[in-house]
Amino acid sequence: MAVDLKSRLGHVELPNPILTASGCAGAGRELAQFFDVAKIGAVVTKSVMLAPRSGRPTPRMAETPSGMLNSIGLQGPGIDALLQRDLPWLLSRGARAVVSIAGGTVDEYAELAARLSDASGVTAVEVNISCPNVEDRGQVFACDPGAAAAVIEAVRARIRYDVPVFAKLSPDVTDIVAIAAACVAAGADGLSMINTLLGMAIDTTTLRPVLAGVTGGLSGPAIKPVAVRCIWQVHEAFPDVPVIGMGGVRTGLDALELMLAGASTVSHDPSACPRIVRELEEELASRGIDRAADAVGLAHESRQAAIRRRPGSVL
Ligand SMILES: Cc1cc2nc3c(=O)[nH]c(=O)nc-3n(C[C@H](O)[C@H](O)[C@H](O)COP(=O)(O)O)c2cc1C
């Protein structure tokens, strides 16, 4: 059975719903030796800040059961290098680029957005709001509806109207729907979920924290149920807002699970991108679903009812 994998990020159409996750493959260049970067839905670049950054001291990674802790500290070359080197390269390869931005103040996000507004080849902007607000005691933007909205409003005002802006949410909040609501009201065209969960590991030999930065973000299979829950809750509240889902996706079946919860596209560890595209296609076909878009939010009662009413429904 032929499956139509075309997917949408807001009004932008992608050839398939599989994207890289920000931070897991720089700006895409290192992936070209493994697969054709134009063949996946889009490359999501590592969150870029205004100035180059060296990141946190090492060790920055710790293995944990079913997941990994990282405290990279947004190491990166800064926006100039992205605009002059990485974005043109992605464009020359025919890849679609979702540019992820990060800042320490609302003004920094605004400045990044202004710099991106003139660049060609930006398919969408993902705003990483899981950053400490240096003007508010280091309180993470993504954990406060007002601060999250202020960032999104500033970015949306400066990005070209035809480039969708996605707010990347943190699961480390009591009510993710409240944060999602604030971002949507501030003009976000879509939401990305989920960033890593804050965790920590202690070396019981040295009796000290494993990571030099003490705490780190937990990713990998351990967090998939949290991702499914967050996407589910937000899709229930805002069924028309597109979601880029991520968190513990390793196979096409995992990607399908996030889509059934409500994700329109799915991001993950880039090494497996082409395999996950193939596996997702097989999983959809084996369920009689001939369009990837039909799987989005399909686990929700309201969507099931709507699909059952269609002639020739597979349900
Ligand atoms: C090493 C590493 C670096 C990351 N860097 C970023 C980043 O720069 N910006 C961002 O929004 N998310 C970053 N993330 C979070 C991922 O994009 C993703 O949201 C998270 O890891 C959950 O997905 P996963 O379980 O498939 O890895 C990073 C994750 C890892 C493991």
Side-chain angles (χ1 to χ4, degrees):
M1 173 184 186
V3 177
D4 174 5
L5 287 176
K6 282 198 290 297
S7 303
R8 301 191 79 83
L9 277 187
H11 55 270
V12 176
E13 191 174 89
L14 304 179
N16 65 66
I18 303 301
L19 281 55
T20 61
S22 176
C24 300
R29 240 171 229 262
E30 44 284 79
L31 295 174
Q33 56 185 313
F34 303 111
F35 61 86
D36 179 357
V37 286
K39 290 263 162 66
I40 60 172
V43 172
V44 185
T45 58
K46 170 144 187 85
S47 298
V48 70
M49 301 190 78
L50 274 179
R53 249 168 94 99
S54 50
R56 294 222 182 90
T58 55
R60 296 167 158 188
M61 304 273 203
E63 290 292 338
T64 67
S66 306
M68 186 187 88
L69 289 167
N70 90 81
S71 94
I72 307 290
L74 293 180
Q75 177 182 349
I79 187 74
D80 288 337
L82 181 98
L83 293 175
Q84 285 155 24
R85 189 188 63 196
D86 301 324
L87 214 47
W89 181 86
L90 284 166
L91 208 58
S92 73
R93 294 294 171 119
R96 288 146 297 276
V98 175
V99 176
S100 169
I101 57 173
T105 64
V106 173
D107 285 349
E108 256 177 65
Y109 283 100
E111 175 67 22
L112 282 160
R115 302 288 307 280
L116 277 175
S117 64
D118 298 329
S120 52
V122 180
T123 296
V125 174
E126 189 177 79
V127 191
N128 176 3
I129 50 174
S130 293
C131 300
N133 180 351
V134 297
E135 294 173 332
D136 186 15
R137 297 162 289 120
Q139 157 99 287
V140 173
F141 291 101
C143 297
D144 175 62
V151 171
I152 297 306
E153 202 176 327
V155 172
R156 184 60 282 178
R158 287 160 182 84
I159 295 291
R160 262 194 1 232
Y161 73 96
D162 56 341
V163 175
V165 170
F166 277 67
K168 184 161 178 182
L169 306 187
S170 165
D172 288 337
V173 292
T174 314
D175 183 1
I176 197 159
V177 175
I179 309 286
C183 291
V184 170
D189 303 280
L191 302 163
S192 300
M193 285 179 276
I194 56 174
N195 215 319
T196 51
L197 286 102
L198 195 63
M200 182 175 169
I202 293 177
D203 184 329
T204 48
T205 307
T206 64
L207 313 180
R208 293 285 302 148
V210 175
L211 297 170
V214 181
T215 58
L218 181 65
S219 61
I223 73 167
K224 193 183 71 174
V226 181
V228 173
R229 182 269 297 173
C230 289
I231 295 166
W232 171 277
Q233 288 180 329
V234 168
H235 188 79
E236 278 281 320
F238 304 104
D240 298 327
V241 174
V243 168
I244 304 176
M246 70 282 286
V249 172
R250 293 295 175 269
T251 66
L253 206 55
D254 296 332
L256 177 62
E257 190 176 353
L258 265 58
M259 290 176 77
L260 294 173
S264 301
T265 62
V266 179
S267 290
H268 55 84
D269 170 352
S271 59
C273 278
R275 170 176 59 77
I276 294 184
V277 175
R278 278 196 310 277
E279 287 175 357
L280 175 65
E281 195 170 6
E282 284 161 23
E283 299 294 353
L284 291 167
S286 70
R287 287 162 180 76
I289 302 172
D290 61 2
R291 294 187 338 147
D294 285 346
V296 177
L298 192 54
H300 293 257
E301 190 52 49
S302 51
R303 276 276 283 143
Q304 296 243 333
I307 297 271
R308 261 190 232 109
R309 283 195 296 272
R310 279 196 201 163
S313 159
V314 293
L315 295 180

